[in-house]
Amino acid sequence: MNSVCLVGRLTRDPELRTTNSGISNCRFSLAAPDKPGPDGNPRTNFINIVTWRSQADNVAKYCKKGSMVGITGRIVTGSYQADDGSTRYTFEVVAESVRFLSSKKDGESTAVENNNAEDFNPNEVVLSDDDLPF
C-alpha cells in the first residue's frame, strides 16, 4: 500500500501551471516536523508536493508560504540523468486531498500562520469551551 499522510507548512508560494490539454497542476514544498534526532534537536522534512485539477486551483488560490495544510496522497518516485552522467533519484507526494488548516483573509494574517514550522506540534490539541459537547 502506498499511502502518505502529512501535516506541515508551505515553504514557498504554490506554483500553478496548466498542461497543454488544460489540466491544472500545482507544486509546492511542505515542511513537516519530525521526531527529534539523536542529539535531541528537532528535525524537519522538506517534501515536494504536487496536486492536480480543481484541488490544484484551490491550493493556488487559498494557500501561500507559511500556510498550514494536511495532505493525504501517495509517493511517486523517478530518476533522471544529471549533466555529469550520474543518475539522480527523485520522489514527490501526489496529494489526493489537501485540508487547509490555517487561513488568511486579504491583508490579515492569523497567529497560526506567523509560527515557524518547527513550532508545530502535531500531538497538541487545542480546544475552546465551545468545542466541548457538555
Side-chain angles (χ1 to χ4, degrees):
M1 176 186 282
N2 182 355
S3 182
V4 175
C5 182
L6 300 166
V7 174
R9 294 187 181 278
L10 276 68
T11 63
R12 57 185 162 88
D13 289 339
E15 297 173 14
L16 182 65
R17 296 180 183 164
T18 305
T19 64
N20 291 338
S21 58
I23 299 172
S24 299
N25 68 75
C26 185
R27 294 183 177 276
F28 56 94
S29 179
L30 190 72
D34 201 350
K35 295 179 183 177
D39 58 0
N41 291 327
R43 297 184 303 183
T44 302
N45 293 304
F46 298 93
I47 303 163
N48 292 323
I49 311 290
V50 62
T51 189
W52 294 87
R53 297 180 171 75
S54 62
Q55 188 71 69
D57 295 329
N58 288 333
V59 168
K61 183 175 180 179
Y62 295 110
C63 294
K64 66 175 191 134
K65 179 180 178 179
S67 296
M68 185 178 294
V69 296
I71 293 176
T72 57
R74 57 190 166 83
I75 294 175
V76 175
T77 60
S79 64
Y80 66 94
Q81 294 293 320
D83 292 337
D84 63 3
S86 64
T87 301
R88 304 280 171 96
Y89 297 94
T90 63
F91 90 94
E92 65 186 4
V93 172
V94 175
E96 294 162 359
S97 172
V98 178
R99 294 264 178 151
F100 306 138
L101 302 177
S102 65
S103 63
K104 179 172 176 11
K105 296 180 182 176
D106 293 338
E108 178 182 314
S109 65
T110 63
V112 171
E113 288 181 337
N114 291 329
N115 291 334
N116 292 326
E118 292 82 13
D119 294 337
F120 172 69
N121 180 355
N123 297 320
E124 181 181 357
V125 177
V126 179
L127 296 174
S128 71
D129 289 341
D130 296 333
D131 295 327
L132 300 175
F134 49 87

